[in-house]
């Protein structure tokens, strides 16, 4: 009787290794973060510290909790994943409600970074990548580069880059194999009608808004996919916890 009773409550190996694979997938995402730092010029130290800590804690709790059938770690994993899901959902709702405020903050962020363009090589790489990727220049136009002491058009500016823009603002010539880093020199001293022949005159904020509108389905699909994956992980963890507690209870009463 006791043997039959125990067989009625078993920990599902499928769920256990599903959770283990789920966390391996999350650790795989972490291994690809380096490509983002290479592209965007983000400081890898801070990025890896934050993202790495979250992924390690989440992955450790999920993997060890599943393999060792530790209910504490599995409950921690599901709660931690639930908090991340809630924060993502809250961020999405707030971004939609306060989109004008976010637009203003994005403009302020870009302009502050324009001022410090030559002060930090990582920041410089980030701005160059953004302007090249979005085919834009400045927050709302090339004249935003007047905020930088090297590129402004004031009479007292001794810089050779006076009235210019970074090379990342320049329109690309497919025939050129080598990037001309001086292509933006003196370009803003020319009439507006001529500037568009040499640089991208649209600002990065409008270009980003346009990209979101054009790729709204893709962006929504990614967010929904990530949310479903997180919900799936929470359900798996809770199911495994129930199985483990049922087995322990059956052992206790046999």
């Amino acid at each position: 009787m006791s043997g039959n009773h125990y067989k009625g409550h078993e920990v599902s190996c499928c769920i256990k290794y599903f959770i283990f694979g789920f966390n391996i997938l999350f650790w795989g995402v972490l291994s690809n973060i380096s490509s983002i730092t290479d592209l965007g010029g983000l400081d890898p130290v801070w990025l890896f510290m934050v993202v790495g800590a979250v992924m390690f804690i989440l992955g450790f709790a999920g993997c060890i909790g599943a393999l060792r059938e530790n209910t504490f770690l599995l409950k921690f994993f599901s709660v931690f994943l639930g908090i991340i899901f809630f924060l993502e959902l809250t961020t999405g709702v707030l971004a939609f409600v306060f989109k004008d405020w976010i637009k203003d903050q994005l403009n302020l962020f870009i302009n502050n970074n324009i001022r410090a363009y030559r002060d930090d090589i990582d920041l410089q790489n980030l701005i160059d990548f953004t302007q090249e990727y979005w085919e834009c220049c400045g927050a709302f136009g090339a004249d935003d580069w007047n905020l930088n002491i090297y590129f402004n058009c004031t009479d007292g500016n001794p810089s050779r880059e006076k009235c210019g823009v970074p090379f990342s603002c320049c329109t690309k010539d497919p025939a050129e194999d080598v990037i001309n880093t001086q292509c933006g020199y003196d370009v803003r001293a020319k009439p507006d009608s001529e500037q568009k022949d040499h640089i991208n005159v649209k600002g990065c904020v409008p270009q980003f808004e346009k990209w979101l509108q054009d790729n709204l389905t893709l962006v929504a699909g990614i967010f929904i996919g990530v949310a479903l994956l997180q919900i799936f992980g929470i359900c798996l963890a809770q199911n495994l916890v129930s199985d483990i507690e049922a087995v322990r209870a059956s052992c206790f009463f046999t």
Side-chain angles (χ1 to χ4, degrees):
M1 290 292 293
S2 61
N4 292 335
H5 182 70
Y6 180 79
K7 289 181 180 179
H9 299 279
E10 295 182 354
V11 177
S12 173
C13 289
C14 290
I15 295 178
K16 180 190 297 187
Y17 291 110
F18 256 124
I19 294 179
F20 182 79
F22 176 87
N23 286 277
I24 293 298
L25 176 64
F26 266 71
W27 270 339
V29 172
L30 177 60
S31 67
N32 291 326
I33 292 296
S34 59
S35 63
I36 297 177
T37 59
D38 291 340
L39 290 174
L42 298 176
D43 190 340
V45 174
W46 290 107
L47 188 63
F48 273 108
M49 283 180 62
V50 176
V51 178
V54 171
M55 291 299 180
F56 175 78
I57 293 172
L58 193 64
F60 178 83
C63 288
I64 303 302
L67 293 178
R68 302 296 297 175
E69 298 180 5
N70 187 307
T71 56
F72 173 79
L73 288 178
L74 288 171
K75 289 177 181 179
F76 175 82
F77 168 78
S78 60
V79 171
F80 196 71
L81 200 58
I83 291 174
I84 294 176
F85 172 75
F86 176 76
L87 291 176
E88 291 172 348
L89 184 63
T90 303
T91 301
V93 172
L94 291 177
F96 179 78
V97 175
F98 299 104
K99 54 185 177 182
D100 291 335
W101 179 83
I102 292 177
K103 181 178 177 180
D104 293 338
Q105 293 302 309
L106 181 60
N107 178 35
L108 181 62
F109 172 77
I110 295 175
N111 285 337
N112 285 338
N113 288 336
I114 285 176
R115 291 186 179 93
Y117 178 75
R118 292 298 190 198
D119 300 338
D120 186 338
I121 187 63
D122 288 334
L123 179 60
Q124 183 174 314
N125 290 335
L126 174 60
I127 294 174
D128 285 335
F129 166 75
T130 302
Q131 294 190 143
E132 287 181 326
Y133 184 81
W134 301 113
E135 296 182 348
C136 57
C137 192
F140 283 94
D143 285 339
D144 288 335
W145 282 97
N146 274 326
L147 296 171
N148 187 278
I149 60 174
Y150 300 101
F151 293 98
N152 68 60
C153 292
T154 56
D155 294 334
N157 183 6
S159 172
R160 178 62 188 87
E161 296 175 310
K162 174 183 176 181
C163 262
V165 292
F167 72 92
S168 54
C169 286
C170 297
T171 54
K172 297 297 180 291
D173 185 354
E176 289 185 352
D177 294 329
V178 180
I179 297 176
N180 179 11
T181 57
Q182 298 181 0
C183 60
Y185 282 17
D186 303 317
V187 70
R188 288 190 298 114
K190 299 177 181 179
D192 293 344
S193 58
E194 294 184 22
Q195 290 184 22
K196 64 180 63 176
D197 296 331
H198 302 279
I199 63 172
N200 299 306
V201 295
K202 295 181 180 178
C204 293
V205 174
Q207 286 293 87
F208 177 67
E209 288 180 316
K210 181 179 181 298
W211 183 89
L212 279 181
Q213 293 173 357
D214 294 342
N215 298 274
L216 187 59
T217 303
L218 174 64
V219 174
I222 292 174
F223 273 102
I224 293 173
V226 171
L228 291 176
L229 187 64
Q230 291 172 325
I231 293 173
F232 180 65
I234 293 172
C235 292
L236 285 177
Q238 291 300 317
N239 199 323
L240 185 57
V241 168
S242 298
D243 286 351
I244 294 171
E245 290 178 344
V247 169
R248 289 177 178 174
S250 65
C251 291
F252 180 78
F253 288 109
T254 54

